[in-house]
Amino acid sequence: MAADPLVKRSDTGSYIVQLDDAPVAEYGGDIAGLPATRVLPGAKLVKTAGQVVGYVKHLAEEREQVLKAVPGATKLYDYSYTYSGFSAQMSYDEAVKLAKSSGVKSVEPNELQKQDTVDTPRFLGMDSAWQQAGGVDKAGDGVIIGVIDSGFVPERAGFAPMTTTKRSDAIVAKKWKGTCQAGEEAPVTCNNKVIGARYFDKGIGSRPIAEEFKSPRDYGGHGTHTASTAGGNHGVEMSVMGRDYGKGSGIAPHARLAIYKVLWAVDQSGGGSGTDADIVAGIDAAVADGVDVINYSVSGSGSTYVNATGLAFLRAAKAGVFVATSAGNTGPGESTVGKTYPWVTTVANGTHDRDIQTTVELGDGKSYTGAGIGAGTPSAPVILAKNAGADETDLCQAGTLDPAKVKGKIVVCDRGVNDRVDKSAQVKKAGGVGMILLNITPGTLDADLHTVPTVHLDDKVAPAVKAYVGGTANPTATIGPGKPVRVTAPKVATSSSRGPSAAGNGDLLKPDIMAPGTNVLAATTAFSAAGGEYAFMSGTSMASPHIAGAAAVLKGRHPDWSPMAIKSALLTTGTDQDTSGKPIRNDSGSEANPFGYGAGLVQPKKAMDPGLVYDSSYADWAKFVCGSGQVPATHELCAGGKIDPSDLNYPTIAVGDLAGKQTVTRTVKNVGQLPEVYFPKVEGLKGVKVTVTPRLLITLPGHTATYKVTFENTGAPLEQYAFGKLTWKSNQHAVTSTLAMKPLMVKAPTQVTGTGTTGSASVPITAGYTGTLTTTSVGLTPATTAQAGLKNPGGVSFPTANPQVNDHVAKFTVNIQAGVKYARFSTFDADYPAGTDLDVFVYQAGMKTLLGSSTGGTAEEQVNLPAPAGGAVDVYVDLFAGADEQQVKLDHWELQNPEDNLTVTPSSQPVQVAGETTVTAQWSGLTAGTRYLGQLHYSDGADGSGATVLRVDS
């Protein structure tokens, strides 16, 4: 069947179906005989309530009726509480049929997601926060943290029974409606610490490896690590590879835990993968079971607010559940941050002030210090990986090391492509006794649990190490034992995904906040701990549970606070200073900014008493989504109208399209015990005039106050972000909002489209200045098309650090002429059968310097190079999924000169600051059946500029 625009084909063979009827969390009572079940502000969802039970029965009847249209479908899960619908195994034809059926709102593919991969309490000042909560045995008391991950190991000390009180037991019993599902393989047990455990595997099907457990028991170790970080017991003795690291603790040691296993090991690396069907089922169950906080350290989109996971979390937040989620590990590139929903708290990865370092001494007497936790090695021969195999690669991948050359030696391996721990495993497999792991570009240094003694060195010393090993007869090296040291922290980890958010046009600052995520020590599985119980792990996955734990401590202390009030307390008290009192930097050494660390490093002690909070509700989030333009005006989320996304009552303020001048509004609530008077202080935002009204806020306990902030560009550089802070100060409190502004000469669409050999398109514009606007054009230029035959789609991630041609990867070399204003490389769904998934990567020719990439889930990909440097580029097209053999087409355009086929009117017009106007692009004489590209250029006659791309399919 040909592709249908309503439904994307599922690679997993299953789909998530959303009914027209609302889920329990937002049903308003519009069906006769069924009273409302929606969760009111400050309340929680109670699944045993009579009206809820009745409405859930109604949803079951609706599902049954809808499923009659596809009798061949096999249902996986019912969703009732945060998402209304079900998931089912079915053919693409059946999915399309359902999408057109009465009672069905949407059908989307069940996609595969992956995990985002101990004295942290001391580093974060938790001792003081615990004291404010009433002591360690009150930190998170009566609060339930739901961990949606890969399960847990019940035998770990962090999950042992704990001493509770009748009061906290009663609080938990009143809201907890979950269960302990032992499972079929290696069954688990629960207690008064881990009060519930469930697993969801209908979506993942037969993909998990044989060693996995069909139960909530963790195999890969990720879930055990995140759960013990968020809420593991206090005072747990931790050791790694025979070294005692003292007593550790979860961030909320007295919280209860509920485990929802949705991630499964699908290969021998043990890494967790899960399908959307299982994940939504886990979210739905957690909210219905009565959790207060969710930790979700799983990958996800950063370009949409309204996918199934985002909507489920929307209803979770509406039901009073705080959600912490990882920002992703695809940094440091711009706009790589994932899960940018405003109703969750998105967490970046910062380095720790406790590092585990190892020194390697080379045979020439020079020594270098890096990360490593092993026992070290005696002096041994050392060899470069490229000289230790037949294919001359430095990556130490499977099958590349020759045992005859490696046995008894230390091997020098480059970071990249395969997992760091896989490299040491390959060294051990080939008979090596140690590894020197080298960063080839700036990045974090990670104290991983390797299978041979390892030192991880940075890119600055890598050339010297390689020069000695590769240029010396009989080189040797000695790796010393790892030892803990104090270092300046935090720094933003290179791998941590960055803003600005791809969704919302930059009008929402993401990530929200940063927590320690590099070399975090916590409990894990024997698989990940080399037979032990604890290991250091790194990633935003490890940062997120710190925020979940901190939220649980706040919730225990302030049970009436909403999820957004808790978020506000965490964000407005964060710090952008490191332990030396200087601004936070990237771990590469460069200057960091809020797109890396959000509101800064979390400060739980200060968050316990923030003074003021910024709150928002479901109605506000709906207006935000409607105003973002991601849904049509007829969408149900637009029923209450829309707002400019910058006006969401958020603890940070971002304007991604400041056209001269813009005013935003915020409302704060006094959550303290006394009346206070606050005065504003603005820092940063050089070149932007900031006016705050009123000039003081008089706030009474429990009452709100509203203020406005006007931002006006008075000389800030255009087309780049400026950052600053707005702090409301009283005698007792400082409440800080991070500011991110991108001044534009004009606010205009990034792209408009048209069709036909002759036609026109109107382009709306808001001016950022007063003067004359001049509009010119380049193009329209027809696409240049290149083709290649590919086969055997890989289904694996493209090796961006080492691009190579193979059966399913083609390379096209394009010479970009000097003076080109804009280049684009594209593939299109329309050129391929449904189910085809292509990825496109553009590099400087002959180099490993990635200039841009596009890796969506279809064949529709696009890489843009604004004002590219002249010269050759290599464009790799990867057939990720689809037919066994496929002819691929790469279209590209180079825009340099105006063409007679495109005119723009008016070419010149007067404009006012923040004034709205239009220009019209008209084309004629195009060749039918051709893809054209052009660009409109806007100028203020000075340094200002802007542009809109024009795509025309003739």
Side-chain angles (χ1 to χ4, degrees), residues 604-645:
K605 175 187 175 182
K606 292 183 178 180
M608 296 293 286
D609 179 25
L612 305 173
V613 297
Y614 297 81
D615 210 344
S616 58
S617 66
Y618 175 86
D620 301 317
W621 308 328
K623 292 176 184 177
F624 169 92
V625 174
C626 187
S628 74
Q630 288 208 348
V631 296
T634 54
H635 194 279
E636 62 183 12
L637 291 173
C638 293
K642 66 180 181 179
I643 58 173
D644 186 300

Side-chain angles (χ1 to χ4, degrees), residues 590-679:
S590 61
E591 182 180 346
N593 63 48
F595 287 146
Y597 55 70
L601 180 71
V602 64
Q603 302 282 280
K605 175 187 175 182
K606 292 183 178 180
M608 296 293 286
D609 179 25
L612 305 173
V613 297
Y614 297 81
D615 210 344
S616 58
S617 66
Y618 175 86
D620 301 317
W621 308 328
K623 292 176 184 177
F624 169 92
V625 174
C626 187
S628 74
Q630 288 208 348
V631 296
T634 54
H635 194 279
E636 62 183 12
L637 291 173
C638 293
K642 66 180 181 179
I643 58 173
D644 186 300
S646 295
D647 276 326
L648 180 67
N649 200 45
Y650 214 68
T652 56
I653 301 176
V655 180
D657 49 8
L658 180 60
K661 187 176 184 180
Q662 185 167 334
T663 299
V664 301
T665 303
R666 290 291 188 271
T667 298
V668 290
K669 180 181 181 180
N670 183 338
V671 292
Q673 301 299 314
L674 299 171
E676 290 189 72
V677 178
Y678 285 87
F679 297 89

Side-chain angles (χ1 to χ4, degrees), residues 524-735:
T524 187
T525 62
F527 174 87
S528 287
E533 298 185 356
Y534 303 94
F536 294 92
M537 291 186 178
S538 299
T540 55
S541 281
M542 284 63 249
S544 181
H546 288 87
I547 298 301
V553 174
L554 282 171
K555 185 69 174 178
R557 176 66 171 166
H558 304 286
D560 58 331
W561 282 13
S562 72
M564 297 302 104
I566 293 172
K567 171 193 271 193
S568 176
L570 293 169
L571 268 60
T572 60
T573 56
T575 178
D576 59 3
Q577 306 290 304
D578 63 24
T579 51
S580 71
K582 296 179 180 179
I584 292 172
R585 302 186 71 81
N586 296 315
D587 68 359
S588 63
S590 61
E591 182 180 346
N593 63 48
F595 287 146
Y597 55 70
L601 180 71
V602 64
Q603 302 282 280
K605 175 187 175 182
K606 292 183 178 180
M608 296 293 286
D609 179 25
L612 305 173
V613 297
Y614 297 81
D615 210 344
S616 58
S617 66
Y618 175 86
D620 301 317
W621 308 328
K623 292 176 184 177
F624 169 92
V625 174
C626 187
S628 74
Q630 288 208 348
V631 296
T634 54
H635 194 279
E636 62 183 12
L637 291 173
C638 293
K642 66 180 181 179
I643 58 173
D644 186 300
S646 295
D647 276 326
L648 180 67
N649 200 45
Y650 214 68
T652 56
I653 301 176
V655 180
D657 49 8
L658 180 60
K661 187 176 184 180
Q662 185 167 334
T663 299
V664 301
T665 303
R666 290 291 188 271
T667 298
V668 290
K669 180 181 181 180
N670 183 338
V671 292
Q673 301 299 314
L674 299 171
E676 290 189 72
V677 178
Y678 285 87
F679 297 89
K681 178 182 179 182
V682 177
E683 301 171 78
L685 284 188
K686 184 178 180 181
V688 178
K689 180 183 178 183
V690 182
T691 305
V692 183
T693 54
R695 292 299 300 167
L696 62 82
L697 291 179
I698 301 174
T699 64
L700 300 175
H703 289 254
T704 61
T706 297
Y707 68 90
K708 294 181 181 293
V709 190
T710 299
F711 302 95
E712 183 176 2
N713 183 19
T714 56
L718 299 174
E719 306 298 327
Q720 57 184 276
Y721 274 90
F723 301 100
K725 294 187 291 186
L726 166 61
T727 301
W728 286 96
K729 289 189 174 183
S730 71
N731 288 334
Q732 291 82 30
H733 297 99
V735 186

Side-chain angles (χ1 to χ4, degrees), residues 360 368-371 436-439 445 455-459 461 465:
V360 59
Y368 303 97
T369 298
I436 301 173
L437 178 61
L438 299 178
N439 281 354
L445 298 181
V455 57
H456 186 177
L457 302 177
D458 67 28
D459 60 298
V461 303
V465 173

Side-chain angles (χ1 to χ4, degrees), residues 118 153 155-159 218 221-229 232 236 238 520-526 528-529 532-537 542:
V118 135
V153 179
E155 295 81 12
R156 295 294 178 260
F159 304 135
D218 190 6
H222 191 267
T224 302
H225 204 280
T226 57
S228 60
T229 299
V236 174
M238 296 184 178
V520 175
L521 177 60
T524 187
T525 62
S528 287
E533 298 185 356
Y534 303 94
F536 294 92
M537 291 186 178
M542 284 63 249

